[in-house]
Amino acid sequence: MTQDLTQELTLLKKKLARETDARKQAENLLEAKAFELYEVNETLTNSIRKAKNNSSRLNAIMNSIPDGIITTDKDLNMLDINNAAEKFLKNSRIRLMKNSLLPYVCPDQTNAYQDLCNKAINDGISGIEEFDFKITEDEIIATEVKISVFEHDDEYFLLHLIHDITRKKERAQEHKQLQEELAQSAKWEAVGQLAGGIAHEINTPSQYIGDNLHFLNESLAQIFTLLQNALILKKQSTADGKYADLNQKLDQLIKEYDLAYLIEEVPEAVKQSSNGIKQISRIVGAMKNFSHPGAKDKEPFNINSSLETTLTVSRNEWKNVAEIEKNFDENLIPVNCIPGAINQVFLNLIVNATHAIAEKSSEMGKITITTRNSADGIDIYFKDTGCGIAPEHQKDIFNPFFTTKEVGKGSGQGLSIVRDIIVKKHKGTIDFQTTPGQGTTFHIHLPEHPKEGSPPC
């Protein structure tokens, strides 16, 4: 019996040893698998961390780009946008997500935008084209757009690069305006030099004519005195019966030449010719003063004299259209101006008023020009009885190239140049009051001593 217990105990020990070995193997296997799992977990964690870092870096790069970048699906639904695009569209990223980009494109350009997207899908990338984006009812932004395509998870997506070119277009417009003004200035200078030369050529013979007419006027008075005495002598000799043949011949010539008419009309003709030559001299003087390029720097300037000169030069424009009423302050102070530029302002406003009156009706209108002193300079008013300015045009009249005239009858530069000269070059102000159908009054304020570098009013 003892022997049986011993054998059974031996078997139990062997079984326990086998189970202990199996347990150790299982523990070793579990430890090895746990280590493998740990390594896999670390690798996955590092990958996730690296992916997050890459994503953050990519987002940082995208958000550092000043142009708008928008990712859409092929139906143009927005999936991701950078900060610049969010600011450009003036809406939050959350509100923009899943919404279509197309409604932001101006309605008349949506078909062209879709064509550009289709070109990008077919070719992988599009060219650069200009589009206007309607951000709000009152704000439209000019842009350049380039679209490219990329693939992810077997799907195609569009990347829209949107560059705001508003400032670029403004600079182009400013450059174009500057070129126009330079061309206008060169044209004025050339015409001015030509007119000045013509005025000089006219002035010399005008002086001869004026001097000769003055001589004739004085000589006629002496001749008529002699003639009167000769007639008295004729009358006396006739009464004495002397020189009958000569007196008869004189009577015949007096009747034939209508001496009474000549005595009355010749002095009047000479007087009218003298007045005419004086008017020519005034016009020639006005042409010389107006057309001479003069100083390009500011100098004390007589505004009343400038207005008189401009009215004389432009008389042919307004004489059959409007009467001129002048309310000039006789004590108007001189102001520092660029004479040629101010002359151009006055000419543009007078011509503008004349056209407004002619557009209203064929009846004679009226242009009233008023000058007066103010606290720090002078005020000048140009009032006309023309057609006025329509409400929808009032905000645009000083814009370059804006005109309501027919093609070929107006460049749209007149009032733009006026504002540029008054505001930018002379630090003054210009505004207007208008009543459609009744007329317009332009008001100019010029400071006595413009402050260089002061902001435009």
Side-chain angles (χ1 to χ4, degrees), residues 40 59 106 177 220 249 251 262 335 340 354 360 369 427:
V40 170
N59 285 334
C106 282
Q177 182 181 355
L220 279 174
K249 182 65 174 176
D251 287 337
L262 292 177
V335 292
T354 303
K360 180 181 177 181
I369 305 175
K427 309 305 177 188

Side-chain angles (χ1 to χ4, degrees), residues 28-48:
N28 290 336
L29 181 61
L30 182 61
E31 184 178 353
K33 292 299 182 183
F35 184 72
E36 288 179 11
L37 185 60
Y38 171 78
E39 287 185 330
V40 170
N41 185 61
E42 281 295 307
T43 301
L44 183 59
T45 301
N46 289 334
S47 297
I48 292 172

Side-chain angles (χ1 to χ4, degrees), residues 82 149 250 271 278 350 376-377 401 447:
N82 68 346
V149 177
L250 281 172
K271 181 181 178 181
K278 287 178 182 177
I350 290 169
D376 64 337
F401 309 109

Side-chain angles (χ1 to χ4, degrees), residues 251-388:
D251 287 337
Q252 182 181 347
L253 291 174
I254 288 171
K255 184 177 181 181
E256 181 180 346
Y257 295 154
D258 196 353
L259 183 60
Y261 174 81
L262 292 177
I263 290 174
E264 181 179 354
E265 292 298 325
V266 168
E268 186 63 25
V270 173
K271 181 181 178 181
Q272 290 177 356
S273 297
S274 296
N275 290 336
I277 206 66
K278 287 178 182 177
Q279 177 66 7
I280 290 173
S281 296
R282 281 196 296 271
I283 294 172
V284 167
M287 284 177 64
K288 289 173 70 176
N289 291 333
F290 185 85
S291 62
H292 196 281
K296 294 184 179 180
D297 296 325
K298 296 182 181 69
E299 59 183 43
F301 193 51
N302 187 323
I303 294 298
N304 286 347
S305 176
S306 172
L307 287 166
E308 290 282 9
T309 295
T310 307
L311 284 169
T312 300
V313 171
S314 63
R315 186 173 184 275
N316 192 58
E317 282 283 338
W318 55 260
K319 67 179 181 180
N320 297 320
V321 178
E323 298 174 354
I324 301 293
E325 180 178 325
K326 297 178 286 188
N327 298 321
F328 294 170
D329 187 340
E330 294 180 357
N331 299 314
L332 195 70
I333 62 171
V335 292
N336 282 339
C337 294
I338 304 172
I342 292 299
N343 284 341
Q344 186 174 357
V345 166
F346 295 161
L347 179 64
N348 286 3
L349 289 175
I350 290 169
V351 170
N352 193 69
T354 303
H355 290 175
I357 292 170
E359 186 177 336
K360 180 181 177 181
S361 72
S362 59
E363 297 181 0
M364 287 289 284
K366 188 175 185 180
I367 300 173
T368 304
I369 305 175
T370 303
T371 62
R372 67 188 184 197
N373 292 315
S374 65
D376 64 337
I378 64 169
D379 292 304
I380 312 161
Y381 298 86
F382 292 81
K383 180 180 180 181
D384 67 65
T385 57
C387 57

